[in-house]
Amino acid sequence: MLTDEIMLIYNKQSSSLEETAGGEEVAMVVTDPTKTSNGEGNGGIATVVNSTDQPFNDSGSGNQNSVACQSTEYDDWSACSKTCGNGGIQFRYRIHSEGTVETRPCPSEVASSLPPCEEQCVPEFGNDYSTTVVASGFDSPRDLAFHPTPGVHLGPYSEGRTFHPDQGEELWVANGLNHSVSIVASLGTKHQTTISRRDRGYYHYMNNITALAFNSVRNSGRNPDQDSFNYFAVCNDNLNDYAGSKNPNLFMGPTLYDTDTVNKKGRKNTVNRIGEDCSDPADECFFLHADMLHEAPACIGITHDPEVETAYGTVYWAFDTTGDNSGGAGQLVRFDFSQPHGPGSMDHSIAVVRRYPEVKLYEDESNEHGHAGMIVHPTKRILYVANPGEGTVVAVHTDTGRYSRTARDEYPIFSNRLPSFEYSIYECVEQQEDFATGLDSPSGLALSLDGTRLFVAERGGRIVALEAETGVVLQSIDLSQFGYTSILGLAISPETGDLYFVDMDTNKVLKINAARITEGECTYQSLISAEFQTAFDTAQLRVDLECGKNLFSLARDYSCKVDGSIPNGTLFEQVHTNTGYASDNPDVQSMAGMDEAAALLANRTDCEYASELNLDALLLGGYYCHICLPQNHGSSCDAGGTCANVQWQGFTCDNEYYVDFDFNVNDPSLMISSLHHDRTYPKDGVLELSRGVTYRFTVRTGSGRPVSIVTPPNISPKASLMESPMKSRSSHGGAVSGPILLRVDDATPPCLHMTLAGTRPVTLMIKGADECPGSSVEPGDDMNGVPGVGAPEGEGSGAKCISFIRGYFALVFVCFVFTI
């Protein structure tokens, strides 16, 4: 954090400026970038940054060897770095703290004698390959990632469905058009099934989700109460327009979620509609964000940094396409959520956001929906970034760069006005802008399990395997021949090393099947020159010994100077009331996190696209249902339903009912209740339904008490019952835990019954019907069941499960289309 130091600087700004009038340098003390708000990190060592321009010099321990580290003579040029093609680069060095290394392209007379770089064979492709459709029916999938701990989110039961966390891997897929994440559980096993989930406030937190990334660092050594292992962050390609309903204000960036619901019960990492912890296996569950930062609108790429220095491990790198908001290049942004505010809070005052304007990134403007892969090499500490608009992959050395100045002046939209929120510009970062070139709209990136091969997807259908050391193509495959011409995200299975990808236009996830390889049939040779590598190792060792570590680099611009301007104190006093949360109440940007005055927004109806109403203020005011929020007033009620807001907690739907079992010994019965209507219905009463509405009956009767909706005797038409994927956990037909979705349309008979063996049926009467003759049916009488409700488990359930999944997959996205 720069909190204390920045405060000291701007408090003394006037006197400091007077002191520098004569050309004197003013030292700006900057704390160690890995130190977090609670003082944890690697000790908070301070460095001195002069406010006037100076050559870049981070010689570290070299100060003690300053006398020896003064050679002005350069050694001879090294051998060329690559054994083929253009030969790569050469370097020469000297034992000096300034201008230590110089590089140049391999001379043409040398490169002309080298052979062309021929494609070889990598194990992920083999000598031949095929593809397998892993899952389909997504809604414009953009990215995918393997969950580091399968089952820790879904557990054995969720939303009335049975899962098998000990069977297979778990693949998470980002759906751009319905702003959700699909979870493919028990991947590749007979238990494979898919469930979709999103945030209740998806129109802000997951608006056009384009990338996602997990913290997969096990055994990091962090305090277990702080470790963010199993968290994931999403990146949204949107300028904060609330799903197209509001003039965008650019207050947008990555959203952080904790996926662990099994070991953290009661933490509200997922919630139901009303905002309660989603601990009931029958409830529909929603993500509840753990934090959000707002400095990267129109973000198309994100990756987690596997560093182990920060206290929480919440460092993510993002591809911000807006850059300086002038229509130029995008930029690389480093987000450290530092100390996530946790579910239910809106405090963004403790975080570190750093912009790297020298890392210029370009989107592919010819494609409306894009994705740029990003991945950090865990040992090299190099961040690889797909640069679609330039047809390149950029390699950035993550632990380089220097604090230059605050970003608040040049980038005036940020998450929090308090000084504890660090928003900085970093310069002099080490990068290779042309690590890989000649690519056609590169999108997804993935690293092989051993870190030696970098896979790059070209949107049009080709996947290229690069040597991670040199950037040279080892092998490529063309998937356009199979009709896959919109490849975006890539992922490597942490268990098998197989390569997976999403194809946006076909809405599929696929796996590359490498042909069976016999020993010796599929090999490749490294293209790094052994002579170059020896020279590199020798030079680095000499410089480290005589000048100190972290001085020798082939990617550093030793002439780079930072602009260490003194920040204007008013940058920490202003509140951006035209952007962001739009409130002058100090509680809005503090631990309180909620503005009670926002309750007055309940009566606002100026919902027009260009009106003055700031929809971010609605979220901060605790609105999940409001006439101005997009698509069904912001709610996720099923089709035809109307919501009611529950301030700061959630919302209810008038088409949702709960079905429980009354254990009365003398008269056991089904008990129907509604949170929206705040009532429990008489067991001998009639529940009236309307046509054109889909009703959700969340069954919680428990094992051995399957509930069905049936037509009364002698009525032949079948109700339009939407097949529910939430299979019964009993051996009988019907639902015992989870929803029954009933779509009431023109084909629905005027009377239906909800039944449970041994109890009096509940009459469901369609509005407009005169009477329901079946309401006199006695318990135990034979009823004509509507097929497809809560299909029984047991023998043959595997085949039914596949049918169920496919039906649900289509159903889920149809329902989302109605509510978005």
Side-chain angles (χ1 to χ4, degrees):
M1 287 292 179
L2 301 179
T3 304
D4 297 337
E5 290 72 19
I6 289 178
M7 290 290 290
L8 289 173
I9 288 171
Y10 85 72
N11 283 336
K12 299 178 179 180
Q13 184 178 14
S14 297
S15 59
S16 296
L17 289 174
E18 291 176 1
E19 292 175 7
T20 60
E24 298 180 9
E25 294 184 351
V26 178
M28 178 185 298
V29 180
V30 181
T31 60
D32 187 334
T34 63
K35 182 182 178 183
T36 59
S37 60
N38 60 3
E40 297 189 36
N42 65 2
I45 303 172
T47 58
V48 176
V49 179
N50 289 325
S51 63
T52 56
D53 289 345
Q54 59 174 326
F56 186 55
N57 179 8
D58 273 348
S59 57
S61 60
N63 292 335
Q64 61 186 342
N65 299 318
S66 58
V67 175
C69 187
Q70 293 181 358
S71 172
T72 59
E73 298 296 325
Y74 281 98
D75 203 358
D76 294 334
W77 288 102
S78 71
C80 294
S81 60
K82 300 175 186 177
T83 60
C84 64
N86 64 12
I89 64 169
Q90 293 179 313
F91 76 90
R92 65 177 185 175
Y93 73 102
R94 62 181 182 178
I95 306 300
H96 198 284
S97 60
E98 297 181 9
T100 309
V101 181
E102 290 184 345
T103 63
R104 72 180 185 186
C106 182
S108 58
E109 62 270 19
V110 177
S112 62
S113 65
L114 298 176
C117 295
E118 301 287 349
E119 289 200 16
Q120 303 182 66
C121 184
V122 299
E124 291 80 4
F125 297 160
N127 290 318
D128 195 9
Y129 69 93
S130 62
T131 61
T132 297
V133 176
V134 174
S136 61
F138 300 96
D139 199 358
S140 190
R142 311 289 174 77
D143 198 13
L144 72 172
F146 283 89
H147 196 292
T149 311
V152 78
H153 181 70
L154 295 172
Y157 304 111
S158 185
E159 299 192 24
R161 300 175 62 178
T162 300
F163 296 93
H164 299 81
D166 59 338
Q167 301 291 314
E169 297 177 280
E170 194 171 281
L171 190 60
W172 289 41
V173 182
N175 296 296
L177 289 189
N178 67 24
H179 322 292
S180 75
V181 173
S182 291
I183 304 170
V184 185
S186 299
L187 181 69
T189 73
K190 67 179 182 179
H191 301 295
Q192 179 176 318
T193 185
T194 303
I195 186 171
S196 289
R197 189 159 284 176
R198 63 178 179 180
D199 196 301
R200 292 175 301 171
Y202 65 89
Y203 35 79
H204 179 62
Y205 302 110
M206 285 185 164
N207 195 346
N208 195 18
I209 172 175
T210 303
L212 78 167
F214 283 100
N215 177 351
S216 300
V217 181
R218 299 177 184 273
N219 305 317
S220 66
R222 294 183 172 94
N223 185 323
D225 293 333
Q226 297 175 321
D227 196 348
S228 63
F229 176 59
N230 288 323
Y231 280 53
F232 79 105
V234 301
C235 193
N236 305 302
D237 186 8
N238 188 266
L239 298 178
N240 199 31
D241 67 356
Y242 278 71
S245 66
K246 195 66 177 174
N247 190 27
N249 62 10
L250 304 180
F251 196 66
M252 175 60 74
T255 312
L256 185 70
Y257 295 92
D258 184 356
T259 67
D260 190 346
T261 65
V262 172
N263 303 310
K264 300 177 180 179
K265 295 184 182 300
R267 284 279 296 272
K268 292 190 175 183
N269 289 333
T270 57
V271 293
N272 57 20
R273 284 187 172 89
I274 200 65
E276 299 168 338
D277 186 72
C278 201
S279 56
D280 191 322
D283 274 340
E284 183 179 14
C285 299
F286 299 85
F287 294 121
L288 185 59
H289 79 288
D291 210 341
M292 186 180 187
L293 296 171
H294 309 82
E295 293 71 32
C299 174
I300 61 173
I302 195 167
T303 190
H304 178 255
D305 190 328
E307 54 79 31
V308 292
E309 299 297 326
T310 60
Y312 287 80
T314 52
V315 176
Y316 292 80
W317 297 86
F319 185 136
D320 172 18
T321 64
T322 63
D324 58 6
N325 300 324
S326 66
Q331 292 176 357
L332 179 66
V333 185
R334 177 187 182 271
F335 290 92
D336 183 358
F337 293 89
S338 293
Q339 184 176 328
H341 60 52
S345 174
M346 294 289 186
D347 176 36
H348 304 107
S349 62
I350 302 176
V352 178
V353 180
R354 296 172 181 169
R355 305 193 71 90
Y356 294 78
E358 296 164 333
V359 183
K360 298 185 182 302
L361 304 174
Y362 298 84
E363 62 181 326
D364 180 0
E365 296 182 356
S366 64
N367 291 295
E368 180 182 3
H369 301 301
H371 168 78
M374 308 175 73
I375 192 165
V376 177
H377 196 291
T379 58
K380 296 179 181 294
R381 301 292 300 144
I382 292 177
L383 166 66
Y384 299 102
V385 186
N387 202 0
E390 293 291 282
T392 63
V393 172
V394 180
V396 180
H397 296 252
T398 59
D399 299 325
T400 66
R402 301 178 69 204
Y403 173 82
S404 173
R405 57 196 181 276
T406 179
R408 298 183 185 220
D409 187 19
E410 297 162 62
Y411 305 91
I413 298 175
F414 46 87
S415 297
N416 193 276
R417 66 189 176 93
L418 298 179
S420 57
F421 175 78
E422 179 197 326
Y423 191 28
S424 307
I425 292 175
Y426 267 57
E427 295 179 332
C428 299
V429 65
E430 297 174 24
Q431 62 173 316
Q432 296 164 267
E433 298 177 13
D434 56 353
F435 173 77
T437 61
L439 299 166
D440 183 11
S441 190
S443 52
L445 296 183
L447 273 172
S448 62
L449 292 183
D450 62 4
T452 62
R453 297 174 296 284
L454 176 68
F455 295 92
V456 185
E458 293 181 326
R459 185 187 182 101
R462 196 169 72 125
I463 300 181
V464 180
L466 304 177
E467 185 178 25
E469 188 70 32
T470 64
V472 175
V473 175
L474 297 174
Q475 190 180 1
S476 64
I477 58 176
D478 185 6
L479 301 173
S480 64
Q481 60 181 313
F482 304 120
Y484 303 121
T485 58
S486 55
I487 298 176
L488 297 182
L490 296 179
I492 288 282
S493 162
E495 297 293 331
T496 66
D498 291 331
L499 181 63
Y500 291 73
F501 67 92
V502 295
D503 186 67
M504 185 181 70
D505 290 346
T506 62
N507 291 315
K508 294 178 180 178
V509 169
L510 299 102
K511 182 180 75 169
I512 303 295
N513 304 305
R516 182 180 296 275
I517 300 170
T518 304
E519 185 175 354
E521 284 187 351
C522 182
T523 60
Y524 73 92
Q525 298 296 322
S526 173
L527 301 174
I528 188 76
S529 164
E531 188 178 354
F532 174 89
Q533 187 66 55
T534 299
F536 177 89
D537 294 340
T538 301
Q540 185 176 46
L541 180 61
R542 278 196 64 193
V543 173
D544 285 354
L545 289 174
E546 299 188 42
C547 293
K549 293 185 177 181
N550 302 321
L551 182 62
F552 184 89
S553 172
L554 300 184
R556 178 175 300 173
D557 178 1
Y558 287 88
S559 66
C560 183
K561 302 175 183 179
V562 299
D563 174 16
S565 59
I566 299 175
N568 188 324
T570 60
L571 295 175
F572 302 89
E573 298 171 0
Q574 63 189 1
V575 177
H576 299 285
T577 54
N578 291 325
T579 61
Y581 288 140
S583 175
D584 291 310
N585 186 331
D587 285 345
V588 170
Q589 301 279 345
S590 70
M591 286 303 294
M594 300 292 183
D595 182 2
E596 294 187 6
L600 300 176
L601 296 170
N603 299 321
R604 294 286 292 271
T605 59
D606 50 332
C607 309
E608 297 80 14
Y609 186 80
S611 72
E612 294 183 359
L613 177 61
N614 190 310
L615 299 190
D616 294 323
L618 290 180
L619 282 184
L620 202 70
Y623 290 90
Y624 295 90
C625 171
H626 189 280
I627 191 173
C628 292
L629 288 175
Q631 300 298 327
N632 203 9
H633 298 173
S635 75
S636 297
C637 296
D638 293 297
T642 300
C643 64
N645 192 63
V646 181
Q647 196 80 11
W648 293 317
Q649 296 182 37
F651 62 93
T652 61
C653 299
D654 67 351
N655 58 342
E656 180 176 17
Y657 298 87
Y658 289 94
V659 182
D660 295 287
F661 180 68
D662 185 350
F663 288 87
N664 188 309
V665 176
N666 298 322
D667 187 17
S669 62
L670 288 175
M671 187 166 54
I672 311 297
S673 62
S674 167
L675 289 175
H676 184 90
H677 302 291
D678 192 26
R679 62 176 298 190
T680 298
Y681 294 85
K683 56 188 175 183
D684 57 350
V686 175
L687 186 62
E688 188 177 66
L689 309 179
S690 299
R691 298 190 188 276
V693 178
T694 296
Y695 290 88
R696 176 180 292 263
F697 296 94
T698 301
V699 180
R700 305 183 297 193
T701 52
S703 180
R705 302 183 187 90
V707 173
S708 298
I709 295 179
V710 301
T711 57
N714 303 320
I715 299 180
S716 57
K718 304 298 185 182
S720 299
L721 189 66
M722 300 175 72
E723 183 178 70
S724 171
M726 295 64 175
K727 294 179 58 182
S728 168
R729 299 212 305 268
S730 76
S731 59
H732 305 288
V736 300
S737 178
I740 297 174
L741 299 179
L742 175 65
R743 181 174 56 226
V744 180
D745 55 23
D746 292 340
T748 306
C751 297
L752 299 170
H753 284 150
M754 181 178 294
T755 67
L756 169 63
T759 66
R760 186 182 304 277
V762 176
T763 299
L764 309 177
M765 186 173 70
I766 310 305
K767 190 174 183 179
D770 294 332
E771 59 179 347
C772 288
S775 59
S776 61
V777 175
E778 293 299 321
D781 283 0
D782 186 30
M783 307 293 289
N784 296 321
V786 177
V789 182
E793 291 184 344
E795 187 173 339
S797 63
K800 291 179 181 178
C801 184
I802 294 174
S803 174
F804 245 110
I805 294 166
R806 289 175 178 169
Y808 172 54
F809 219 30
L811 166 64
V812 167
F813 291 117
V814 169
C815 288
F816 281 167
V817 167
F818 280 110
T819 58
I820 289 176

